[in-house]
Amino acid sequence: MARVVLVHGIGQQYEGPELLSLRLGTALRDGVRLAAGIRLAPDDVVCAFYGNVFVESGTRSDELPPWDEHDVEEGLEADLLDAWRQQAAAIDDEVPPAEEEDTRGAVAFGASRLLLSQRVRAALDALSGARFFKPVTERMLIGELKQVRRYLDEPPVWQAARAAVAAEISADTRVMVAHSLGSVVAYEALCEHPEWPVTDLVTVGSPLGLPVIFRRLSPLPAQGCGVWPGSVVRWTNIADPGDIVALVNTLEPHFAPGPAGAVADRTITNGVQMHDLQRYLTAPKSASAIAAGLQE
């Protein structure tokens, strides 16, 4: 059975566990071999696939709904979009910062909805010029916001996603590698199952420290401190400073320490593909952290 379980991020609903294991498993094995000289077999790595939970039953169309600024919901979706815009403006000269808005006084529901749509439209327009989001269409961006919101807010979605992770855990599993939204899924699944044999968690491009995500974690943080994830002994967090999804790229201040100490935060550079999972997996710092969990 697999020694390493890989948990993917958002936007993978048209993939599958074998396809992702073939592509991403190869990248992970290459990284570990080059960084530590460990030759993993193909069946040492498996991908926990949950992307299908975001696809309507019986459909596989890649045609996204005609979403626009009116379809972004107030709360988590709008707040996450604002956070992405703020970070993009901070690191990319092509992205204008948000203007201060005067929201004093009572606002009727219709006017409030209009203000929200205007705010969303401004954020979408601003992000269209960001290097990070250039390969992403507006519909795809809104779809990713909705996937994050659905995982955090809809019990059938998070239950199915965590079950997909649980299905890949065996007595041989020692390392869990989790990307983007997958780091939230993995963290919550590990907290839910302290009996698992997983000793090492490696998160890459993770939004776990982002306030809009952090305060919704399960279990809930207490007094601003998140709980340590289950059976994990070592937790390494890897982030590219230009990765807008990993807005808060140091997790150590936000989570209680574990058996071997606090979260070990590491920084790498993925070039123009800041959030790309394959680049994270082949990076020496990521691969070394994975290898550490395989050498005991």
Side-chain angles (χ1 to χ4, degrees), residues 3-295:
R3 300 165 67 192
V4 183
V5 171
L6 179 61
V7 188
H8 65 81
I10 54 178
Q12 303 299 323
Q13 62 268 32
Y14 303 115
E15 301 288 346
E18 298 299 330
L19 285 170
L20 287 177
S21 292
L22 182 64
R23 176 169 59 87
L24 298 175
T26 300
L28 188 150
R29 296 196 310 273
D30 277 346
V32 170
R33 178 180 175 181
L34 293 172
I38 298 174
R39 293 174 179 262
L40 294 172
D43 59 1
D44 282 329
V45 183
V46 68
C47 183
F49 181 71
Y50 65 92
N52 57 319
V53 305
F54 299 111
V55 179
E56 184 180 349
S57 179
T59 70
R60 289 285 288 177
S61 171
D62 59 2
E63 183 65 29
L64 292 170
W67 285 317
D68 61 19
E69 67 270 21
H70 303 291
D71 298 294
V72 174
E73 296 185 17
E74 188 170 10
L76 176 58
E77 291 182 17
D79 292 346
L80 183 56
L81 182 63
D82 284 341
W84 284 349
R85 178 185 180 170
Q86 290 170 11
Q87 180 67 2
I91 64 175
D92 191 338
D93 292 339
E94 297 297 318
V95 180
E99 296 180 0
E100 292 294 328
E101 298 177 358
D102 185 356
T103 57
R104 293 171 294 180
V107 181
F109 174 77
S112 176
R113 181 65 229 188
L114 177 60
L115 287 173
L116 174 64
S117 296
Q118 291 173 343
R119 172 181 133 209
V120 168
R121 179 73 266 157
L124 292 171
D125 288 345
L127 289 172
S128 67
R131 292 189 300 271
F132 184 93
F133 285 108
K134 278 187 178 176
V136 181
T137 68
E138 184 174 298
R139 289 184 185 182
M140 290 169 62
L141 179 57
I142 296 173
E144 291 176 355
L145 292 171
K146 291 186 176 298
Q147 284 193 10
V148 175
R149 192 265 307 158
R150 289 191 62 199
Y151 173 79
L152 291 170
D153 287 353
E154 297 181 14
V157 172
W158 59 254
Q159 288 167 356
R162 292 186 210 169
V165 175
E168 302 299 344
I169 302 296
S170 73
D172 298 322
T173 307
R174 293 294 178 269
V175 183
M176 189 173 293
V177 184
H179 177 241
S180 192
L181 177 62
S183 67
V184 182
V185 179
Y187 169 82
E188 295 187 335
L190 285 162
C191 289
E192 196 171 52
H193 293 279
E195 76 281 5
W196 284 352
V198 176
T199 60
D200 288 73
L201 172 62
V202 181
T203 50
V204 296
S206 173
L208 276 165
L210 182 64
V212 68
I213 303 291
F214 180 76
R215 63 174 176 258
R216 288 175 168 83
L217 291 177
S218 175
L220 289 171
Q223 298 180 331
C225 186
V227 304
W228 187 261
S231 62
V232 169
V233 176
R234 290 169 295 272
W235 179 357
T236 305
N237 179 61
I238 314 287
D240 182 320
D243 186 342
I244 291 172
V245 173
L247 288 165
V248 179
N249 53 36
T250 56
L251 298 184
E252 183 272 333
H254 303 284
F255 291 88
V263 180
D265 290 302
R266 303 286 183 265
T267 300
I268 64 169
T269 301
N270 285 333
V272 295
Q273 298 181 43
M274 306 84 156
H275 191 59
D276 184 73
L277 176 52
Q278 188 166 306
R279 295 201 177 193
Y280 270 117
L281 293 174
T282 55
K285 289 181 182 178
S286 305
S288 296
I290 296 167
L294 299 171
Q295 292 173 319

